[in-house]
Amino acid sequence: MKVIKFGGSSLASSQQLQKVLSIVEADQQRKYVIVSAPGKRFDGDTKVTDLLIQYARQTIHHQDTQAVVASIIDRYAEIGHGFNVPETQLTPIFETIRNLPKQTYADNTYLMATFKAHGERLNAQLVAAVFQRSGLNARYLDPKEAGMVVTDVPDDAQIIKSSYDQLAKWADSEQILVIPGFFAYNRNGQICTFSRGGSDITGAIVARGVHAERYENFTDVDAIYAVNPNLVAKPAAINEMTFTEMRELSYAGFSVFHDEALIPAIEGNITVNVKNTNHPEAPGTLIKSTREPNPHYPVTGIASSSSFCSLYLRKYLLNKEVGLGRKILTILENHHISYEHMPSGIDDLTIIFDEHQLTPELEKTLVAEISAAINPDEIYFTHDYSILMLVGENMRNRVGIMSRAATALANDDIKLIMVNQGASEISIMFGVHDNDANQAVIALYKEFFN
Ligand code: ASP
């Protein structure tokens, strides 16, 4: 029995939904179908989720919502009419969209979550109607009925573990269950969403809950590639990778599969298969707990991300000062800020952060508080910071990877500002200036894949 999830581009139009229908029909094992909201039909198009965010903002600011409501309704109408879904089934969907502002919400964060979640909710209802019309024994299953309960964080919820016992009751379903991705309900019955792209998370949760043999994640690429295809033409496809490799690569920018979706898959030991809706016969990429080592390629993938910043601190005899680390970490904790890495020298220290957590004001406050606590000789933030990750299970058993990587970067005149061979031994992390990041990825790809 398989859980199968379709991303927004796979459900963007009636033409795309026809492909989804064929994929579901092709395999009787595909019993749990998780759907995203309709996504982009072409470059420059707007996802329904983004239209709903616009609609929520206009509602909050008491602005005219007519145009955005019409655009959202158009998206569902095109899909419904493409399959001759009767008006009696489409009208309630359109009415729900129009009536969203009339519901009562505890505050605007819950309003926003409910508006966003309706992209998936209404799409799952529509997809179930289309499946029924096509003769499939299918029905809509709401996350509430499924028993999925999440933490009370309206835009970044986490699943509550007891949900898995509830979901287990839906195991071995005879019917095809069409379940909306991206949202569930908190203990008070209010809608909360996962982070953006969170339908992948729903799919993994359902797969773990119903003990699926496989979680097929359909998107719009043939495979996960060893490197960003915008940087290298026709890069190597990754046929198989482990959960740990995927986790390390998604940390530094691989976004085909949501990193939070890996946790339920790991916990349930469910193999994930990333596949292409537009090319379903391609084998895609398998993500699983272990894999056969490929002796020719010590490196599985190379990722880079510029969403980091660093705080540099210099203080003479820093290594001798007792309690210095604790003082800094207490300040970070007081501001609810987590740090990513903290490479240190004898007299200096760099703290690397995910820059989404910081604002210019917060940075000033941190500099002031840390200065008052430890009196450094020099302290400043820099945003010109990219992290590159070289990842591969096979790296563990090979010597000389660091030397090959450093030589390839040096030959391309790329300055390294940080090197970190993680405790896992399956990844090496390099800090480089933003301007050098793309060239560095290309240099590493040439070294390890050409
Ligand atoms: N529709 C949501 C988003 O755009 C969730 C998803 O597509 O996975 O973020």
Side-chain angles (χ1 to χ4, degrees), residues 5 36-37 47 49 120 182 196-200:
K5 178 253 164 183
S36 283
K47 291 173 164 198
T49 308
E120 284 38 36
F182 191 39
R196 286 298 305 265
S199 298
D200 283 351

Side-chain angles (χ1 to χ4, degrees), residues 33-77:
V33 181
I34 316 299
V35 302
S36 283
K40 291 186 185 185
R41 293 159 291 183
F42 43 82
D43 274 353
D45 195 15
T46 310
K47 291 173 164 198
V48 164
T49 308
D50 291 310
L51 292 173
L52 286 160
I53 291 172
Q54 210 180 317
Y55 182 21
R57 290 206 179 113
Q58 289 173 351
T59 303
I60 291 167
H61 295 113
H62 307 288
Q63 291 164 347
D64 183 12
T65 57
Q66 242 181 336
V68 76
V69 168
S71 307
I72 299 167
I73 290 180
D74 270 357
R75 298 297 304 272
Y76 292 102

Side-chain angles (χ1 to χ4, degrees), residues 5-237:
K5 178 253 164 183
F6 292 96
S9 60
S10 307
L11 297 157
S13 62
S14 53
Q15 198 187 356
Q16 285 301 89
L17 184 52
Q18 187 58 56
K19 298 178 189 169
V20 166
L21 181 62
S22 309
I23 290 168
V24 174
E25 283 171 338
D27 185 347
Q28 299 240 325
Q29 297 282 316
R30 293 172 172 152
K31 285 287 194 256
Y32 304 84
V33 181
I34 316 299
V35 302
S36 283
K40 291 186 185 185
R41 293 159 291 183
F42 43 82
D43 274 353
D45 195 15
T46 310
K47 291 173 164 198
V48 164
T49 308
D50 291 310
L51 292 173
L52 286 160
I53 291 172
Q54 210 180 317
Y55 182 21
R57 290 206 179 113
Q58 289 173 351
T59 303
I60 291 167
H61 295 113
H62 307 288
Q63 291 164 347
D64 183 12
T65 57
Q66 242 181 336
V68 76
V69 168
S71 307
I72 299 167
I73 290 180
D74 270 357
R75 298 297 304 272
Y76 292 102
E78 187 280 321
I79 298 170
H81 293 150
F83 288 90
N84 297 321
V85 175
E87 290 304 317
T88 47
Q89 277 182 294
L90 291 179
T91 307
I93 292 178
F94 304 157
E95 280 308 299
T96 307
I97 296 167
R98 290 194 191 97
N99 290 334
L100 279 171
K102 294 188 192 145
Q103 292 188 30
T104 45
Y105 303 99
D107 65 33
N108 286 340
T109 60
Y110 291 99
L111 177 149
M112 178 58 86
T114 305
F115 274 58
K116 280 196 291 185
H118 274 77
E120 284 38 36
R121 189 179 199 203
L122 299 175
N123 206 28
Q125 291 171 5
L126 183 56
V127 168
V130 167
F131 283 5
Q132 284 158 4
R133 283 193 71 71
S134 310
L136 291 176
N137 179 13
R139 79 149 167 118
Y140 170 78
L141 178 65
D142 195 79
K144 189 177 270 174
E145 194 186 350
M148 282 176 65
V149 182
V150 291
T151 53
D152 184 21
V153 184
D155 63 349
D156 194 12
Q158 310 279 323
I159 193 75
I160 290 176
K161 292 262 159 59
S162 57
S163 307
Y164 292 118
D165 297 332
Q166 298 306 313
L167 281 164
K169 296 178 185 160
W170 296 90
D172 303 315
S173 170
E174 285 296 314
Q175 257 188 323
I176 294 172
L177 301 173
V178 184
I179 306 171
F182 191 39
F183 77 96
Y185 298 80
N186 66 16
R187 289 200 169 98
N188 299 328
Q190 290 157 308
I191 287 183
C192 294
T193 71
F194 298 118
S195 54
R196 286 298 305 265
S199 298
D200 283 351
I201 307 176
T202 306
I205 291 168
V206 173
R208 182 184 162 191
V210 302
H211 304 288
E213 270 123 54
R214 188 162 285 202
Y215 172 22
E216 293 180 321
N217 191 286
F218 276 84
T219 170
D220 52 9
V221 287
D222 273 354
I224 299 179
Y225 295 104
V227 69
N228 181 348
N230 296 324
L231 294 179
V232 173
K234 297 210 177 112

Side-chain angles (χ1 to χ4, degrees), residues 261-290:
L262 281 168
I263 313 299
I266 293 169
E267 288 167 346
N269 195 13
I270 291 152
T271 299
V272 180
N273 191 185
V274 173
K275 284 175 75 78
N276 190 351
T277 301
N278 306 312
H279 194 188
E281 56 290 348
T285 299
L286 290 178
I287 312 170
K288 45 200 226 174
S289 55
T290 54

